[in-house]
Amino acid sequence: MPPRHPRPSHLTFFPQRLFPSFPFLLPHPNPHPHPFHPPHTRTIQSLIQPSRPNSAFNKGPSIPILGSTPAAALERKARHLPPRTGVLAIKKGMTAVYDEVTGVRTPCTVVQLDRVQVVGHKTREQHGYFAVQVGYGWRHPENVTRPMLGHYERQGVSPKKWVVEFRVRDETGLKKVGEELRAGWLREGQFVDAKSLAKGKGFAGGMKRHGFAGQPASHGASKVHRAMGSAGQSQGGGSRVYPGKKMAGRMGGEQVTIQNVKVLKVDEEHGIVLLHGCIAGPNGGLVKLQDARKKPWPDIPQTIPTKETVVDGTSVGGPTATTA
């Protein structure tokens, strides 16, 4: 084996590619540099920095908003967001109303409003969007966590049993904190979207959960009459079960939205509202009601009706003009 040549003294034991920005670890390219030309230093950074605009998103008064920015997303959603907040109600059950002229029977769901108040606001400057926090009912302070107690105390409202957030289009839909929303917030004949939690059915099979037809009841079918059957092909489909395959599993217990529900009657005194048709969920469940997004917005005056009382011939507590 031939002898190894001695390593030059001006070379280092560190690879040059690991330390490109440290000149003291690199051999000098020219032992006698020119006095008017400084030695070149190798580095991973460019010596010429590109000119950057004022914003990384290229914003400006004469430049259109990029479609991928949060501001553009809010503008697209503004066309579909309701201009005013929704309300909370409790499902009481179902009944029917009859038309006085034709005698047609119309099934309806009875919901009731009880101590529905505005608990808080969400603004675009602080949270990125506009929304109204609405609370329902009352809860004993001993059953409320300390953070929520501090939130209620700061807003000046009593602890609520449920608190739900409703998105609104802009700041004109932010109601005053502590203001009560009665059944008169909805009008007869308008359409609403009803959201509620469906009844939980537990673990259910394919026939009950997805409406499968099942397997034959005779002719060789042995103890597989209600079985699901095949979950997929073997070789042609990759020998796997496709995502989203309808199978047996937990049924119910999910939020169900029924759109374009018509308001049949409103009882302002008792806080009762009759909705056309059925609403998902058991009796006593929470129902979220807001103006239907696929119908024209209701032409409702920007006032909240309140009861009028007469004291010494003077009306007290009449309608208060507020922005919806």
Side-chain angles (χ1 to χ4, degrees):
M1 183 176 182
R4 301 178 63 181
H5 295 282
R7 183 185 297 273
S9 59
H10 64 275
L11 295 179
T12 61
F13 292 95
F14 300 98
Q16 182 177 346
R17 64 181 181 273
L18 298 180
F19 301 92
S21 60
F22 294 91
F24 60 86
L25 297 178
L26 304 176
H28 204 284
N30 188 3
H32 303 286
H34 196 276
F36 298 102
H37 297 281
H40 176 68
T41 302
R42 296 186 60 184
T43 176
I44 61 176
Q45 296 182 356
S46 176
L47 299 178
I48 303 176
Q49 297 293 337
S51 59
R52 297 181 179 179
N54 297 332
S55 174
F57 296 99
N58 199 14
K59 298 179 182 179
S62 60
I63 301 177
I65 301 178
L66 295 179
S68 59
T69 57
L74 290 173
E75 288 186 1
R76 292 192 296 268
K77 291 183 179 180
R79 297 175 297 176
H80 308 285
L81 290 177
R84 62 183 197 147
T85 181
V87 294
L88 301 178
I90 290 296
K91 180 179 176 181
K92 291 296 183 180
M94 292 196 65
T95 183
V97 293
Y98 293 87
D99 187 89
E100 298 180 355
V101 179
T102 61
V104 176
R105 179 183 183 274
T106 304
C108 59
T109 303
V110 182
V111 296
Q112 186 175 17
L113 284 71
D114 180 23
R115 288 170 284 188
V116 180
Q117 282 183 295
V118 177
V119 176
H121 293 158
K122 292 293 182 68
T123 59
R124 180 175 298 180
E125 292 77 12
Q126 186 176 0
H127 306 92
Y129 60 97
F130 292 104
V132 180
Q133 287 183 350
V134 179
Y136 179 93
W138 180 83
R139 176 173 289 185
H140 199 279
E142 293 181 356
N143 299 327
V144 181
T145 60
R146 290 188 178 184
M148 290 304 299
L149 281 177
H151 177 66
Y152 293 135
E153 183 179 359
R154 190 183 309 110
Q155 302 297 336
V157 296
S158 61
K160 297 298 181 180
K161 187 175 182 180
W162 288 292
V163 177
V164 177
E165 189 176 286
F166 290 96
R167 291 284 300 271
V168 292
R169 181 185 302 169
D170 48 25
E171 63 275 2
T172 59
L174 301 179
K175 304 297 297 181
K176 184 178 179 181
V177 176
E179 189 169 354
E180 186 176 359
L181 303 177
R182 301 179 179 272
W185 184 253
L186 304 177
R187 295 292 189 270
E188 295 184 4
Q190 79 163 104
F191 293 89
V192 296
D193 292 339
K195 301 180 181 181
S196 56
L197 197 65
K199 293 181 180 180
K201 303 295 184 178
F203 194 93
M207 296 183 66
K208 179 177 180 180
R209 191 184 186 198
H210 300 292
F212 290 171
Q215 300 195 35
S218 61
H219 298 287
S222 175
K223 301 182 181 179
V224 291
H225 310 291
R226 298 183 62 88
M228 183 186 69
S230 175
Q233 61 272 33
S234 175
Q235 189 175 7
S239 299
R240 65 191 182 97
V241 178
Y242 287 163
K245 169 63 179 175
K246 295 181 179 180
M247 306 176 70
R250 182 170 295 181
M251 181 180 178
E254 299 176 349
Q255 179 174 276
V256 177
T257 302
I258 302 180
Q259 298 179 331
N260 305 330
V261 180
K262 188 175 182 180
V263 179
L264 299 180
K265 290 185 179 180
V266 176
D267 187 352
E268 174 71 20
E269 182 178 359
H270 300 91
I272 298 295
V273 178
L274 297 185
L275 304 176
H276 180 250
C278 60
I279 302 298
N283 296 339
L286 182 66
V287 181
K288 310 169 191 176
L289 302 176
Q290 196 171 14
D291 298 337
R293 300 193 178 192
K294 295 184 178 179
K295 293 287 185 179
W297 304 123
D299 187 12
I300 298 178
Q302 308 297 333
T303 59
I304 294 182
T306 57
K307 297 181 180 180
E308 293 187 0
T309 58
V310 179
V311 179
D312 297 335
T314 304
S315 177
V316 180
T320 305
T322 56
T323 305

